[in-house]
Amino acid sequence: MAAVLIRLKLTILLRSLGRDTSRLVSYLIGAIVAAILVIGSLPVAVGLRAGSVTDASGAVAAMSTVTLLWMLAPLLMAGVDDMLDAGAFSVLPLGARRLIPGLTLAALVGIPGAVTVAFALEQVLVWSRSVPATFAAIVAALLGAATCVVLSRMVTSVIARSLWRRRARFLVTMVLPLIYLAPLVLDQFLERRRSSHGSAAAHHAATVAEWTPFGWAWAVPWEVARGAYADALLHLALATALLLTLVVLWERVLDVELTTTAPRQAGTVRVSRAPSRRSRPLTAIARRRLLGWRRDPRLTMQAVSLIAVSVLPVLPALISSGGSHPSGLLPLALSSVMAGVLIANDLAYDGTAWWMQVVAGVPGWVDRAGRALAIGVSILVFDALVSVLQIAVGAHTAWLAVSGPLVGALLISLGLGAAMGALDPGQATRRGANPFAGNAGGGARGCLTAAVMFVVPAVLVAPVIVGAVLARHSAIAECVVLAAALIWGSGGLGIGIWWGGRRLDRGAPEMLGKLRKFA
């Protein structure tokens, strides 16, 4: 069964890449970046191998971070999960126990799996100091790689199932940011230890990481290398127990998934009075998008990802520094980038239901403007809440000086996203399927889109940033820069909506063909 699933994944991967040139290019770029990471880390592994055991302990913290990323990455970026959805096997007489080994091995076929395997082999190189340590490193590589996959699949399966229930969805939305925050608080603790101990940074980081579930397996060869065999046996027992527990939990979740289906609609829909005829198309599109944040589990995960990517990485630093940390403006800048990514992928969440707009004769610019309005308002509300939070922790920021570049970046990102979304619908999972499920090249393609959405607005808003720097000592000059940023950003937004609307008007049939895979 494992060989069948691996061949199935390879077949899906090759056929999907062969049908879509842009996806193939994105996948190749992702493969090149992964190769650079692996090749670049090889000299580091060789250096750790030649150094002392204390210096080599940094491999424990590094591999613990890899395990943590396997759990967080599918939650932060929807669409990077395994393309083999277990629910597709519900029509076959197969139990979860037969599928788990094959799904685990198939998950390692791809860019993330290949990088993880390469890193696991490099940590074997690091600990190849003696026969016992080498053998322990091989065991750790097997346990650690399996834990990465099973932990990721178990967590995403449980959350995906919960997101189809309104109360559970609210609980997940509240709990997930706290899960993201835990390792960041741990990082702040390690940062303080590094600042106080200097040269022993790797040792202190490994000491903390080895007693977390993410580092139990990777700490076994370190304990063997330094002669602590009792601690090595304890970590081996903990890592084995963790893997077995995750397998049992995943088996139960898969059994439920193979015998039931997720509800297609969560909760009831209340029909309200229709708006006026003049504003109906624009406001209806914006209202439908705003309601999707609460009703569609896939869009709910977008909201969680926005919070996790923008706020949580700098929240511990802001709190510990009393609000004076220089990265305090990073959440506002990242939210502007996320606005462009959201509108660029928005059509994919409509799927073939977009045909109703085509039949109704809604102009393309109205579609682009309605989606930009909904996402822009959502981001502005989010930015306002972040600003209030920064003020609450004592942040001292020249809000008038930074508002110009931030507003300009937001408007330009929305315009660029409106244009890119009309050219390609983006990435989304099928309605009713696992909100974390992905497809071949989807993760690499999403990363490429995010990179474009980050670089282009940064270049276009550079004149506003220069003006804000020059006008930082004059309130009147700062107001002039803000007004210029509004005009400049509005021009970029208008051009993006106009060009995207023309593209949709001319290529509506082709766009519907692209949207079929998201139906």
Side-chain angles (χ1 to χ4, degrees):
M1 179 56 65
V4 172
L5 293 179
I6 292 175
R7 288 199 304 268
L8 176 61
K9 181 169 182 178
L10 289 174
T11 301
I12 296 175
L13 175 63
L14 295 176
R15 290 183 178 178
S16 179
L17 296 179
R19 289 195 302 264
D20 193 335
T21 304
S22 62
R23 182 169 295 172
L24 175 61
V25 172
S26 302
Y27 196 82
L28 291 177
I29 294 176
I32 293 173
V33 173
I36 293 174
L37 289 176
V38 172
I39 296 174
S41 62
L42 185 58
V44 178
V46 174
L48 293 177
R49 168 67 175 77
S52 64
V53 174
T54 301
D55 295 334
S57 61
V60 178
M63 296 307 299
S64 301
T65 304
V66 172
T67 306
L68 179 63
L69 289 176
W70 267 88
M71 184 185 74
L72 295 184
L75 307 180
L76 291 173
M77 299 177 290
V80 299
D81 200 1
D82 200 336
M83 69 182 73
L84 293 182
D85 189 1
F89 300 98
S90 59
V91 297
L92 302 176
L94 297 173
R97 186 166 300 179
R98 292 189 61 190
L99 288 175
I100 283 179
L103 291 176
T104 303
L105 293 176
L108 296 174
V109 177
I111 295 177
V115 172
T116 302
V117 172
F119 285 164
L121 294 177
E122 288 182 359
Q123 70 91 31
V124 174
L125 173 63
V126 171
W127 300 115
S128 60
R129 302 164 181 265
S130 63
V131 175
T134 304
F135 178 76
I138 295 174
V139 173
L142 296 175
L143 278 176
T147 301
C148 288
V149 175
V150 177
L151 175 63
S152 174
R153 298 301 177 258
M154 191 275 294
V155 170
T156 54
S157 297
V158 171
I159 295 178
R161 198 73 191 173
S162 303
L163 286 174
W164 289 107
R165 299 172 178 84
R166 178 177 296 179
R167 294 181 179 178
R169 190 187 316 159
F170 176 78
L171 180 62
V172 168
T173 307
M174 296 296 103
V175 170
L176 275 183
L178 298 179
I179 296 177
Y180 299 142
L181 187 60
L184 299 171
V185 174
L186 177 62
D187 179 72
Q188 291 297 310
F189 173 76
L190 294 177
E191 184 67 31
R192 293 182 180 181
R193 297 295 297 270
R194 286 192 290 267
S195 61
S196 59
H197 293 83
S199 61
H203 177 77
H204 291 297
T207 302
V208 175
E210 70 168 334
W211 294 110
T212 65
F214 309 106
W216 286 343
W218 307 112
V220 174
W222 180 40
E223 300 291 358
V224 172
R226 64 179 183 172
Y229 293 101
D231 289 342
L233 290 176
L234 176 60
H235 282 92
L236 179 61
L238 290 174
T240 304
L242 174 64
L243 180 59
L244 293 177
T245 302
L246 292 175
V247 169
V248 171
L249 293 176
W250 190 24
E251 180 182 352
R252 294 185 178 182
V253 174
L254 282 183
D255 280 331
V256 175
E257 190 172 354
L258 291 171
T259 54
T260 59
T261 58
R264 291 281 177 157
Q265 181 178 351
T268 58
V269 178
R270 185 179 62 183
V271 179
S272 59
R273 182 174 60 87
S276 62
R277 182 175 299 274
R278 178 177 300 178
S279 60
R280 181 180 298 174
L282 180 63
T283 57
I285 293 172
R287 182 175 181 271
R288 186 178 74 246
R289 185 55 170 81
L290 291 173
L291 290 176
W293 290 100
R294 180 170 58 91
R295 293 176 177 172
D296 193 334
R298 303 171 299 170
L299 297 177
T300 302
M301 285 308 305
Q302 275 194 350
V304 176
S305 300
L306 176 64
I307 297 173
V309 172
S310 302
V311 179
L312 296 184
V314 298
L315 184 58
L318 284 175
I319 296 176
S320 63
S321 63
S324 58
H325 198 274
S327 62
L329 295 176
L330 186 60
L332 304 179
L334 290 178
S335 65
S336 299
V337 177
M338 290 289 290
V341 176
L342 293 179
I343 191 173
N345 293 332
D346 202 47
L347 267 179
Y349 289 93
D350 280 6
T352 52
W354 187 66
W355 73 270
M356 291 185 291
Q357 289 186 205
V358 178
V359 174
V362 177
W365 73 267
V366 174
D367 176 271
R368 301 289 86 193
R371 298 176 193 274
L373 175 63
I375 295 176
V377 169
S378 302
I379 296 298
L380 287 176
V381 172
F382 172 79
D383 289 345
L385 294 177
V386 171
S387 301
V388 171
L389 176 63
Q390 292 186 9
I391 295 174
V393 299
H396 303 286
T397 304
W399 297 106
L400 183 59
V402 302
S403 58
L406 292 175
V407 171
L410 174 60
L411 294 176
I412 292 175
S413 296
L414 288 173
L416 180 62
M420 291 185 63
L423 188 64
D424 186 86
Q427 295 294 318
T429 57
R430 291 177 180 269
R431 182 177 297 274
N434 184 345
F436 305 103
N439 44 44
R445 192 175 187 176
C447 293
L448 182 61
T449 300
V452 173
M453 295 304 305
F454 177 81
V455 173
V456 175
V459 173
L460 294 179
V461 83
V464 180
I465 297 176
V466 173
V469 172
L470 297 177
R472 63 184 183 275
H473 298 301
S474 172
I476 297 178
E478 290 174 353
C479 292
V480 172
V481 171
L482 176 59
L486 287 172
I487 297 174
W488 180 255
S490 299
L493 176 60
I495 293 174
I497 291 176
W498 169 78
W499 189 90
R502 290 192 61 185
R503 178 75 183 185
L504 288 181
D505 290 336
R506 294 179 178 180
E510 291 79 5
M511 179 61 70
L512 284 173
K514 296 179 180 179
L515 292 173
R516 288 180 58 188
K517 58 180 178 291
F518 305 118

